[in-house]
């Protein structure tokens, strides 16, 4: 996937990238009283990430207010970047462990349905393109945005010095089988597939997912269905070694 010379990665193989990737929709329009202030939200997010084994990088959608993220960054090993989201005051936020990555670039789609960050692993120097999504629900618009994400991946993999690892996480507003059908041709793997159909929301839908350019360790996949702070459950998965 990378156009970089392997000699730049002395001591590492290209399949050595092992990362835990997570996603959580923060329900800014229907916020539970357990997380209805910025301070409580910061605590709720922190505890939610612990419940899914503290991902290296995590996508948040339906975010409102910056106070929680400032508190979250002060009190954890995470930092992050935010961009405007598709709904009013809501925005999208991507967090990553500051001791694992350098940040090169933040990407925002014109339709505000996805955001990306280009990160560099501090240890291996590998380049990691991560995209956080909050997809629309209507089929035609969904495909337009999904196609835009695929073009973004292709662009960064082939035209921008290459990347060594790609991941996508968030609220896809589509079943695992629909997500697989669209993104499998991009060479991506899926935490949830048509064969592993588990609810990711309190309504019983399976619309959140984690994708990566490397296969996932099936035993690492967690959907924290006991989390009652949000209408979406925290979800995370780790790539294989």
């Amino acid at each position: 996937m990378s156009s970089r010379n392997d000699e730049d990665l002395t001591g590492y193989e290209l399949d050595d990238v092992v990362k835990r990737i997570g996603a959580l929709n923060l329900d800014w329009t229907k916020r539970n009283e357990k997380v209805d202030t910025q301070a409580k939200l910061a605590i709720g997010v922190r505890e939610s990430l612990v419940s899914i084994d503290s991902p290296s990088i995590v996508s948040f959608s339906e975010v409102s207010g910056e106070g929680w993220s400032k508190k979250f960054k002060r009190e954890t090993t995470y930092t992050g970047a935010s961009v405007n989201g598709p709904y009013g005051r809501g925005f999208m936020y991507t967090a990553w462990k500051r001791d694992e990555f350098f940040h090169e670039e933040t990407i925002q789609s014109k339709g505000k349905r996805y955001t990306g960050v280009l990160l560099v692993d501090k240890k291996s120097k590998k380049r990691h393109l991560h995209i956080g999504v909050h997809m629309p629900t209507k089929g035609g618009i969904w495909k337009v945005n999904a196609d835009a994400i695929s073009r973004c991946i292709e662009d960064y993999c082939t035209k921008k010095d290459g990347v060594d690892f790609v991941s996508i996480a968030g609220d896809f507003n589509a079943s695992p089988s629909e997500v697989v059908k669209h993104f499998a041709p991009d060479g991506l793997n899926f935490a949830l597939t048509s064969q592993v159909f588990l609810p990711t929301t309190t309504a019983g839908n399976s619309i959140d997912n984690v994708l990566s350019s490397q296969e996932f360790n099936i035993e690492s996949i967690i959907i924290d269905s006991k989390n009652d702070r949000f209408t979406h459950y925290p979800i995370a998965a780790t790539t294989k070694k």
Side-chain angles (χ1 to χ4, degrees), residues 17-37:
V17 178
V18 178
K19 294 297 179 184
R20 186 157 186 79
I21 312 296
L24 178 58
N25 184 314
L26 297 184
D27 289 341
W28 81 267
T29 56
K30 299 179 181 177
R31 189 151 289 161
N32 188 306
E33 64 179 7
K34 293 183 178 181
V35 287
D36 63 1
T37 69

Side-chain angles (χ1 to χ4, degrees), residues 110-171:
K110 291 182 179 178
K112 301 181 179 179
R113 291 294 182 173
Y114 72 84
T115 181
V117 288
L118 184 59
L119 305 172
V120 178
D121 186 291
K122 289 185 176 182
K123 184 176 180 181
S124 68
K125 309 306 180 188
K126 295 177 183 179
R127 304 177 85 219
H128 182 158
L129 174 66
H130 176 80
I131 297 174
V133 301
H134 189 187
M135 302 289 280
T137 57
K138 296 181 180 179
I141 302 175
W142 192 95
K143 187 176 186 306
V144 167
N145 283 271
D147 286 344
I149 293 169
S150 294
R151 288 194 299 271
C152 178
I153 293 170
E154 181 180 10
D155 189 34
Y156 275 82
C157 288
T158 63
K159 301 176 184 177
K160 296 181 181 290
D161 297 326
V163 294
D164 301 296
F165 183 71
V166 174
S167 56
I168 311 175
D171 180 354

